[in-house]
Each structure stands twice: as C-alpha cells, then as structure tokens.
C-alpha cells in the first residue's frame, strides 16, 4: 500500500475527481463572478461590458459602506465573545460535577438550522406577544421597545441569536484544545503552588494559542460573510439598519435586478475576506510555537 | 505490484458505480416520459413543462384547481403531458431569474405584470400572446387587465387574477367601541384614536415586507393628489414633489405618530401582522382581495371571526382630489409562454385552456377574483366576495401597485423609502426626492 501511495500517477488519479469538482463548483464561479462584476447585466438579457464602473460605484455607495460597517461590528462582537467562550470552555474542561450536562446544553443551538433559530427568536422578540417583552412588562417596564423595528436596536438584537448560535461550536473547539493539554503540566504547576487563574493564564492559554488563532479567523471571516439569520429575521430592515454586506449583495442582485453590481459586491467581499484573513495571520504570527513536550 | 493493480481495479470499480448511478437516473427519467406519453393516441407525444407557485401547503385551493385543470386537459389531449414544477413565491422568483440567465425557462410559467415583466420581454424570453387574445379568449378579460402585461403594444402574459385592496375591519370590535365605518379621513382618524385609547391596535401592518406600507401610502397619495398625479409621478412624467403627494407622505407619518399601526410594524412580516387581525387584536387590515378566502371559506379560521369581517373603501380626504371609487390594485399573476419553447403551439393551447378554466373554477374553488369575466349571479358565493366583486365593477380607476409598476431598481428604492418613511428615518421631502431620482435613473 505504501508503494501505491508514493506513485505520483495514482495520487493524481485519487485527487483528480474532487479537484475537478472543486474547480467546477468553487473556483470557476469565483472567476465568473469577478467577470460579471465588470458588466452591466440584469441577470436576464444581454451583458454589456462596462469595465470597472461597478467597482467604482461600489466605492462611492453609502449603503454598501453602511452595511460593511454592520458586518465589521458583527466581526468585532464575535471576536470579543470568543473570550467568553474560552472561559466557559476552561470551566467545562475542569473536572467538575455536572459538567457533562452543560457541555450538551451549549452544543444544542449548533444542531438547529439557522431558519429554525430565526423563527424561534422572531417569537422571542415579537413586540407584543414575545417572551422578552412579556417578561419586561411583568417586571415593570411599561413600554419595552419593538426590538426588530427600531433602527438603533435591531443590529444588537440580531447579534444575540447569532452569537448564541455559534457559541457551542467555539466552546467545543476550545474544549477539545484544552483537553489536549497534558494533565501532567497542570499537576506540576499545582505542586509548584500556582492557583487556578495562573494555570489558566500561564499554561492553558499559551498552549491553546494556535487553536485560538484559527477561531479568530473563523469568527471574523464568518461574520463578514454572514447572511442567513439576518435575511430571515429582518431582511436588512428597517430601512437598511441591519443590512450586512451579503444581504446587500442579495438585494442588489435578486431584488433590484442588478446582477452586475451584485457580482461586484460579491467579488469585493471575497477580496476583503482574503485580506482580513491574511492580516490576522500576520498579526498573530509567532516565531516559535510552544510544544507540549 | 499486485497491490497496485488491486487499487487501480478498486478505483475503476468505484468510478464505474458512480457512472452507472448517473446513467440510472437518466434512464428512469426517460422511462417515465415514455410511460406518460403512452396514453396518447397515434399523434406525436408532447411534454409541456409548467412551473407555478401554488404549493399544496400554502395555496391549497389554487393547487387543487391547477391539478384539476391539468388532468382535464390531459384527458382531452391524450398526446400532451403537463409536467409541473411547484415552488414557493420567493423561490419561484429566484428560480425564474436563474433559469432565464441560462435560457432554460419552462414552456409555461407564472409571471407578474409591468415592471417585473419588462426585463424578460427585453431579453426576448417571453413570446407574444396576442393571437390568443383575438382567438377564443377575445372579450373574455375584464378590461384593464391584459394592458398591464403589454409592452410596446404586444401582450406577453395572460392574467389570471385581478385584485383590489379594501380595508377589512372587525365588525365585532367596531360594535364594541360604537364605531361607524368611516366615510371621510377625519372620521377615520377618529376611529383610530378611539381604538388606540381603548388599547386595541387600530391597524395591522407588517411593514417588514414593505409593499404592505406602500399600499397605505398609495391610497393617501390617491386621495390627496388624485389618481392622475400619482400615476404620472410613478411613470416619471410627473413628480413626487407634487405638493399633495408630499402631503400624503407626511400624513403617513402623522398616522404613525397617532399609534395607528400595530407596535413594531416595521419589524413584523405581513403574515405576523395578519395574525394580529385574525386574533382580533387589531381592528383593521388593508390587503388585496387575494386574502378573501381567509375571511370567507377557509375552514382553518374560526367561523365566528370570518363572519365578523367587513370591508370599507379608503375614505376621501376633504379638499383632496381623489374619488372614493378609485382603487389600488391590479392584475395578479399571469401566464407566459417561453420564446425558446420547443412546443410553443401546445404551450399556447394549454395557456388558453388554463385561463378559461381558471376563470370558472377559481371563483368557487379558491375564492379569488379572476381576470376573466365570470357570471357570478348563478353561483352561490359569500356575501363579502360578491360585494367586493361589485365594487370592482364600479371602480372609477385602479392604480397598479407601485412596486409592480416601477422598474426593479426604482421599485427597490420605493420600498426602502416606504420603510424609512414609516420609521420616520426620512422627511416627506427627502422621500419625494429619492423617488424622483430613482425613477429618472431608470434601470
């Protein structure tokens, strides 16, 4: 078998089908999207080549930058919430009673589909019948806000279910990383008189750093291209106050029939994601990685 | 060496299985086609692909009628098989766009009028259906319905439904607070005030969908500025900066200020708002006549509620130019035939048959108002339906829904501005400016 695996032709034969598939359904569409972005096209009739006009319009489009700002805010919030997830994972990885139960509780939102979560939270946020406002009224708030209808609140109201949805995912990753740290290190530290906080900060955190870097990239890029919950819950409204880059792209392409412009936004979004990923990798690069040994 | 051969063998086997799997599928497809066609007499077997948006779960009444018409048609034309593809409204719109980009439209499909239709016509994707209009269907349509499907003098779709939008109200709630149906806008505002003071939401409005708010603006615009000024502004020959149109926009905001609409309306979908009306938590609800089945025949809604629904025409404004018999509405969906269809003649024949049968069956079967003329005197129909049907015949003018009438880009601006206007994020002046700018830009 080893011989077979070292044969270059066989390797190519194994890799080729999936490579072709990925080319056909991922990379070729990316190139095409970039090309469509150079055209004026309503998605139906003939395309008209207009060069970089769409991209120039994009730079000047206030609505786009507005939605980009919202995406950026989501990225900041999801990165900050990683700290909370890490703390939870540290608690869960400690040998405490009942931890198993909590581990499952946190994972459940991850198993639900986005649309189901959206429907659930729509009910929670319902201005008159929702659990949230009923609760607020019962404890004395006479006139609680209509969360999804107020331009100043809607974005934060959306962040909560989004962060809640992904909490389990990140906690799981952190949990696995922390469990990977040899128990002997912790025991040695304890013998040396380190308290729980010192163990977490000086031992667990540095050893989980590689994983943390990956989750930062995942959280930031995931936030920049986020779409589904927002689409179902507010559709970018009211009046664009919860519009993010991906939903703006959808509206331009599928509602305003401007496929050329929509494609330009999509391609721009891809470039932004690539740049951000690169920056994060650069910023968090460390020369010598710590080994468990 | 032996192992290497084994691996290659296994791999080939895998590929073969995959390939066979693909082959199997296409074989099955072929078999089905020939099986369906086998019922035919000697003539050539034809399959007409028909894509529509009446899934059983959402539009049960319509779905039943469609299936009925298709099976009747197939019985009468044994050589024709109608193959259905059913999608939900929003998915339908998206799929239609994707299919047209690759020029693979179904032979027969559902389309909307005016602004929606235009890009498809410009892309030469729909075929003109004027020959059908001068044939069997000559004179069968309610006047003003096919016009919305015409571009440059040719008709590219045949409408199935015709809608107007009344204000439905809950008679029980009105009686409880001793309210009368408002004739003038002043009375209407008084009704709103009384309801609001008694803790009842006056109007159910789900403005997350945006076109719902557009209806309210359009009526106010019509009553203040008159139908002509509104139509001109929408078509671009007039302006939204017309004094009366601006007044209508500011009136929307004063309605919002007087708590006329349910709480959080800008974040509620039309369905959510409707349920407020259905639960008697809101007293009024403005919606197209396509909602009629819910207030007349739909068994899922308590009879007690259905009996308590009445309607009134949008009241007139003192000093306004609008007339009480002027409506906002227009033809609903229609059928198109694809220009690139291989079976155009059969598809057209099916459309002709479908439109005619739909007219007869949709009245009793689904309770929607068809675009073709129907003699309702012989049918036993719910009073609400008959009353609205008669109102439609008395209409002095019917202004097509603004978002349908405008081109896609301008429509998108209009809808966003509506949400902003209701949310008080723009001034009425800015609202008008944005409209004029979007309409003059075209698509």
């Amino acid at each position: 078998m080893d011989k077979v695996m070292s044969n270059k032709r066989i390797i190519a034969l194994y890799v080729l089908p999936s490579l072709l598939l990925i080319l056909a359904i991922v990379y070729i569409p990316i190139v095409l999207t970039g090309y469509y972005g150079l055209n004026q096209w309503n998605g139906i009739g003939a395309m008209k080549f207009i060069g970089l006009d769409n991209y120039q319009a994009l730079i000047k489009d206030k609505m786009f930058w507005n939605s980009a700002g919202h995406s950026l805010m989501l990225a900041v919030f999801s990165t900050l919430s990683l700290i909370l997830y890490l703390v939870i994972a540290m608690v869960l990885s400690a040998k405490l009673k009942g931890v198993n139960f909590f581990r499952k509780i946190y994972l459940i939102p991850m198993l639900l589909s986005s649309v189901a979560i959206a429907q659930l939270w729509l009910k929670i946020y319902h201005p008159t019948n929702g659990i949230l406002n009923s609760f607020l009224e019962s404890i004395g708030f006479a006139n609680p806000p209509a969360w999804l209808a107020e331009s100043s609140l809607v974005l934060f109201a959306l962040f909560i279910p989004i962060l809640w949805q992904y909490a389990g995912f990140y906690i799981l990753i952190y949990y696995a990383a922390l469990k990977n740290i040899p128990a002997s290190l912790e025991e040695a530290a304890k013998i040396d008189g380190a308290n729980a906080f010192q163990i977490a900060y000086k031992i667990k955190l540095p050893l989980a750093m590689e994983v943390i870097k990956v989750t930062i990239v995942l959280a930031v890029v995931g936030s920049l291209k986020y779409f589904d919950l927002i689409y179902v819950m507010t559709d970018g409204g009211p009046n664009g106050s919860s519009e993010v880059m991906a939903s703006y792209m959808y509206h331009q392409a599928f509602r305003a029939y401007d496929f050329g412009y929509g494609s330009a936004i999509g391609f721009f979004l891809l470039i932004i994601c690539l740049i951000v990923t690169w920056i994060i990798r650069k910023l968090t690069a460390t020369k010598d990685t710590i080994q468990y040994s | 060496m032996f192992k290497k051969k084994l691996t290659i063998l296994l791999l080939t086997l895998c590929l073969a299985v995959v390939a066979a799997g693909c082959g199997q599928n296409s074989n099955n497809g072929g078999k089905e086609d020939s099986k369906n066609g086998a019922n035919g007499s000697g003539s050539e077997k034809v399959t007409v692909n028909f894509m529509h948006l009446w899934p059983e779960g959402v539009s049960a009444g319509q779905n039943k009628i469609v299936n009925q018409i298709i099976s009747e048609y197939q019985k009468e034309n044994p050589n024709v098989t109608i193959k259905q593809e059913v999608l939900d409204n929003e998915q339908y719109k998206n799929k239609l766009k994707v299919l047209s980009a690759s020029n693979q439209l179904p032979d027969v499909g559902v389309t909307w009028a005016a602004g929606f239709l235009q890009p498809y016509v410009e892309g030469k994707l729909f075929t003109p259906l004027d020959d059908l209009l001068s044939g069997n269907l000559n004179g069968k349509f309610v006047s003003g319905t096919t016009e919305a499907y015409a571009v440059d003098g040719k008709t590219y779709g045949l409408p199935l439904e015709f809608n107007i939008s009344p204000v439905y109200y809950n008679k029980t709630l009105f009686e409880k607070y001793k309210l009368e149906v408002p004739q003038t806008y002043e009375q209407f505002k008084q009704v709103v005030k009384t309801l609001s003071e008694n803790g009842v939401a006056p109007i159910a409005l789900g403005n997350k969908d945006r076109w719902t708010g557009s209806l309210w603006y359009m009526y106010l615009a019509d009553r203040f500025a008159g139908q002509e000024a509104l139509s001109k502004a929408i078509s671009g020959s007039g302006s939204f900066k017309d004094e009366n149109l601006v007044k209508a926009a500011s009136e929307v905001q004063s309605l919002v200020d007087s708590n006329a609409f349910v709480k959080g309306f800008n974040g509620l979908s039309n369905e959510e708002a409707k349920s407020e009306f259905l639960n008697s938590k809101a007293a009024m609800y403005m919606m197209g006549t396509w909602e009629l089945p819910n207030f007349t025949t739909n068994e899922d809604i308590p009879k007690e509620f259905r009996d308590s629904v009445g309607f009134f025409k949008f009241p007139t404004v003192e000093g306004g130019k609008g007339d009480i018999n002027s409506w906002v509405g227009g033809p609903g969906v229609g059928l198109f035939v694809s220009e690139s269809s291989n079976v155009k003649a059969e598809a057209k024949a099916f459309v002709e048959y479908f439109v005619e049968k739909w007219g007869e069956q949709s009245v009793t079967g689904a309770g929607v108002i068809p675009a073709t003329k129907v003699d309702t005197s012989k049918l036993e129909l719910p009073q609400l339906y008959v009353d609205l049907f008669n109102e439609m015949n008395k209409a002095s003018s019917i202004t097509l829904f603004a978002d349908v009438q405008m081109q896609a880009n301008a429509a998108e601006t209009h809808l966003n501005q509506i949400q902003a206007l209701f949310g008080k994020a723009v001034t009425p002046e800015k609202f008008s400016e944005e409209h004029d700018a979007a309409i003059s830009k075209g698509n």
Side-chain angles (χ1 to χ4, degrees):
Chain A
M1 206 64 192
D2 284 344
K3 243 185 196 169
V4 174
M5 284 307 182
S6 62
N7 185 325
K8 288 212 174 83
R9 274 158 74 192
I10 295 294
I11 293 173
L13 199 62
Y14 271 114
V15 172
L16 202 65
S18 52
L19 184 71
L20 285 179
L21 264 179
I22 286 184
L23 274 180
I25 64 180
V26 179
Y27 291 100
I28 292 174
I30 287 177
V31 175
L32 279 179
T33 305
Y35 171 70
Y36 293 151
L38 300 174
N39 289 275
Q40 189 179 24
W41 186 37
N42 61 12
I44 295 166
M47 274 189 249
K48 197 178 126 201
F49 190 82
I50 50 166
L52 288 172
D53 284 12
N54 277 331
Y55 292 92
Q56 275 165 3
L58 188 60
I59 303 289
K60 282 184 242 155
D61 189 347
K62 250 192 246 158
M63 272 306 290
F64 172 74
W65 290 111
N66 195 15
S67 53
H70 297 154
S71 293
L72 190 71
M73 260 169 84
L74 178 59
V76 170
F77 272 83
S78 29
T79 313
L80 288 179
S81 58
L82 289 179
I83 300 171
L84 179 68
Y85 302 153
L86 186 63
V87 171
I88 294 174
M90 283 197 179
V91 173
L92 291 184
S93 67
K95 293 178 189 96
L96 295 173
K97 258 193 181 173
V99 150
N100 246 330
F101 169 74
F102 286 102
R103 250 175 22 223
K104 281 173 190 125
I105 285 280
Y106 287 123
L107 203 58
I108 285 175
M110 212 182 99
L111 306 177
L112 300 174
S113 85
S114 287
V115 177
I117 291 178
Q119 290 300 335
L120 174 71
W121 283 83
L122 277 174
K123 298 276 181 300
I124 293 176
Y125 282 135
H126 192 286
T128 47
N129 314 328
I131 304 170
L132 181 61
N133 279 6
S134 305
F135 172 73
L136 287 175
E137 271 165 26
S138 73
I139 59 166
F141 284 95
N143 208 358
W147 302 96
L148 297 177
E150 311 258 347
S151 333
S152 52
L153 291 174
V154 62
L155 206 56
F156 300 100
L158 283 170
F159 284 172
I160 291 167
I162 295 172
L163 298 181
W164 176 78
Q165 180 186 11
Y166 286 100
F169 173 69
Y170 291 112
I171 292 174
L172 187 74
I173 293 181
Y174 288 149
Y175 179 77
L178 293 170
K179 275 284 170 191
N180 237 346
I181 299 172
S184 56
L185 288 178
E186 201 179 321
E187 278 155 23
K190 266 187 195 155
I191 291 166
D192 287 345
N195 60 26
F197 178 77
Q198 283 169 325
I199 293 175
Y201 188 71
K202 293 263 168 83
I203 296 176
K204 289 187 175 176
L205 192 66
L207 288 176
M209 211 53 195
E210 282 304 306
V211 174
I212 293 173
K213 276 186 224 163
V214 173
T215 56
I216 292 174
V217 173
L218 282 178
V220 171
V221 173
S223 306
L224 290 179
K225 63 189 174 81
Y226 198 78
F227 177 73
D228 41 14
L229 216 64
I230 290 177
Y231 173 70
V232 181
M233 285 182 72
T234 63
D235 200 14
N239 185 33
S241 48
S242 64
E243 194 96 275
V244 288
M245 282 190 278
S247 65
Y248 189 60
M249 169 181 77
Y250 177 83
H251 286 145
Q252 288 300 319
F254 284 92
R255 293 271 168 74
Y257 277 78
D258 205 339
F259 266 74
Y261 195 51
S263 302
I265 299 172
F267 198 69
F268 198 69
L269 184 56
L270 173 80
I271 293 171
I272 292 180
C273 286
L274 288 177
I275 293 174
V276 167
T277 313
W278 182 76
I279 293 175
I280 296 174
R281 300 300 290 178
K282 278 278 160 200
L283 284 180
T284 57
T286 38
K287 278 186 193 114
D288 40 8
T289 46
I290 303 156
Q291 298 293 325
Y292 295 143
S293 63
Chain B
M1 206 52 210
F2 173 72
K3 274 182 182 169
K4 181 177 169 187
K5 269 185 187 158
L6 188 73
T7 317
I8 293 174
L9 195 73
L10 272 177
L11 197 69
T12 324
L13 208 68
C14 286
L15 283 176
V17 168
V18 171
C22 298
Q24 196 86 43
N25 270 342
S26 54
N27 278 348
N28 273 349
K31 235 180 259 165
E32 207 171 301
D33 274 354
S34 60
K35 196 174 71 195
N36 287 343
N39 300 334
S41 50
S43 60
E44 206 184 326
K45 288 153 201 158
V46 169
T47 303
V48 175
N49 291 308
F50 177 33
M51 198 163 104
H52 67 78
L53 40 64
W54 297 291
E56 207 181 342
V58 186
S59 329
Q62 284 95 328
N63 186 281
K64 212 171 124 197
I65 296 167
V66 171
N67 282 315
Q68 239 165 24
I69 297 176
I70 288 177
S71 69
E72 278 168 36
Y73 187 76
Q74 288 183 152
K75 215 176 276 168
E76 285 177 35
N77 302 277
N79 62 322
V80 181
T81 308
I82 309 290
K83 209 169 150 196
Q84 293 185 67
E85 184 174 0
V86 193
L87 293 151
D88 217 13
N89 190 314
E90 192 72 6
Q91 289 161 357
Y92 180 90
K93 282 184 183 163
N94 290 346
K95 177 142 188 182
L96 201 65
K97 268 170 240 178
V98 173
L99 288 177
S100 32
S102 51
N103 205 5
Q104 286 175 329
L105 285 179
D107 302 310
V108 178
V110 174
T111 175
W112 286 261
F116 181 90
L117 183 84
Q118 206 158 6
Y120 292 89
V121 171
E122 280 165 8
K124 298 200 170 40
L125 292 165
F126 292 174
T127 197
L129 298 171
D130 295 281
D131 44 338
L132 294 184
L133 278 180
S134 53
N136 268 349
L137 292 172
N138 193 4
K140 291 260 170 75
F141 284 98
V142 176
S143 68
T145 52
T146 52
E147 281 84 344
Y149 283 88
V151 179
D152 296 332
K154 281 184 184 165
T155 313
Y156 291 89
L158 298 185
L160 293 174
E161 294 168 8
F162 195 54
N163 296 296
I164 50 175
S165 318
V167 181
Y168 303 100
Y169 72 100
N170 189 323
K171 287 183 202 161
T172 320
L173 282 176
F174 267 53
E175 267 164 36
K176 190 173 167 193
Y177 299 109
K178 300 189 178 57
L179 296 167
E180 290 202 11
V181 169
Q183 298 291 322
T184 67
Y185 188 62
E186 280 309 311
Q187 288 169 357
F188 175 76
K189 282 205 277 198
Q190 200 53 49
V191 167
V192 165
K193 198 170 162 231
T194 314
L195 287 167
S196 170
E197 278 168 1
N198 284 292
V200 177
I203 301 162
L205 170 70
N207 207 28
K208 186 172 121 185
D209 290 338
R210 307 177 297 173
W211 55 267
T212 41
S214 170
L215 290 180
W216 283 92
Y217 170 73
M218 284 200 61
Y219 268 117
L220 284 167
D222 180 280
R223 296 297 188 260
F224 272 98
Q227 193 263 339
E228 216 186 312
L230 175 62
S231 290
K232 274 186 174 165
I234 292 174
S235 69
S237 57
S239 164
F240 274 93
K241 284 186 202 123
D242 177 299
E243 187 195 346
N244 287 313
L245 286 174
V246 176
K247 212 190 275 174
S250 64
E251 198 55 48
V252 165
Q253 296 192 327
S254 68
L255 274 181
V256 171
D257 285 338
S258 61
N259 292 325
F261 305 105
V262 286
K263 189 176 174 188
F265 56 84
N266 253 355
L268 292 177
S269 68
N270 181 35
E271 289 301 314
E272 284 172 300
K274 188 166 80 192
S275 76
E276 297 284 288
F277 181 65
L278 295 179
N279 292 328
S280 302
K281 282 186 179 163
M284 293 179 273
Y285 178 54
M286 185 201 283
M287 197 37 59
T289 37
W290 58 79
E291 281 298 339
L292 270 174
N294 282 333
F295 308 139
T296 53
T297 52
N298 187 347
E299 297 287 341
D300 295 338
I301 289 160
K303 188 164 186 327
E304 199 193 341
F305 175 79
R306 282 184 275 149
D307 288 343
S308 73
V309 177
F311 78 92
F312 61 84
K313 301 183 238 184
F314 198 91
T316 48
V317 172
E318 203 179 324
K321 291 182 189 153
D323 155 17
I324 194 145
N325 281 319
S326 162
W327 294 86
V328 173
V333 292
L335 294 181
F336 71 83
V337 172
S338 161
E339 178 73 39
S340 60
S341 167
N342 295 323
V343 287
K344 219 186 262 179
E346 284 83 0
K348 277 185 174 178
F350 173 65
V351 166
E352 186 175 35
Y353 184 89
F354 191 96
V355 170
E356 204 169 345
K357 292 285 169 190
W358 176 271
E360 295 159 13
Q361 299 188 7
S362 65
V363 176
T364 47
V368 295
I369 300 180
T372 42
K373 288 174 189 159
V374 183
D375 184 9
T376 50
S377 60
K378 279 179 252 155
L379 303 167
E380 199 163 307
L381 295 165
Q383 196 54 43
L384 189 67
Y385 182 95
V386 175
D387 289 346
L388 272 164
F389 198 87
N390 292 336
E391 286 296 345
M392 196 182 277
N393 292 329
K394 279 196 300 196
S396 60
S397 74
I398 295 174
T399 311
L400 188 57
F401 304 112
D403 59 319
V404 177
Q405 214 180 130
M406 292 174 183
Q407 298 211 354
N409 230 329
E412 191 62 18
T413 305
H414 165 68
L415 293 171
N416 282 337
Q417 286 296 314
I418 283 288
Q419 215 178 35
L421 183 73
F422 274 79
K424 299 183 78 180
V426 286
T427 61
E429 289 76 22
K430 181 88 175 134
F431 173 85
S432 313
E433 269 169 41
E434 294 282 332
H435 271 78
D436 281 352
I439 288 166
S440 67
K441 195 178 130 206
N443 201 352

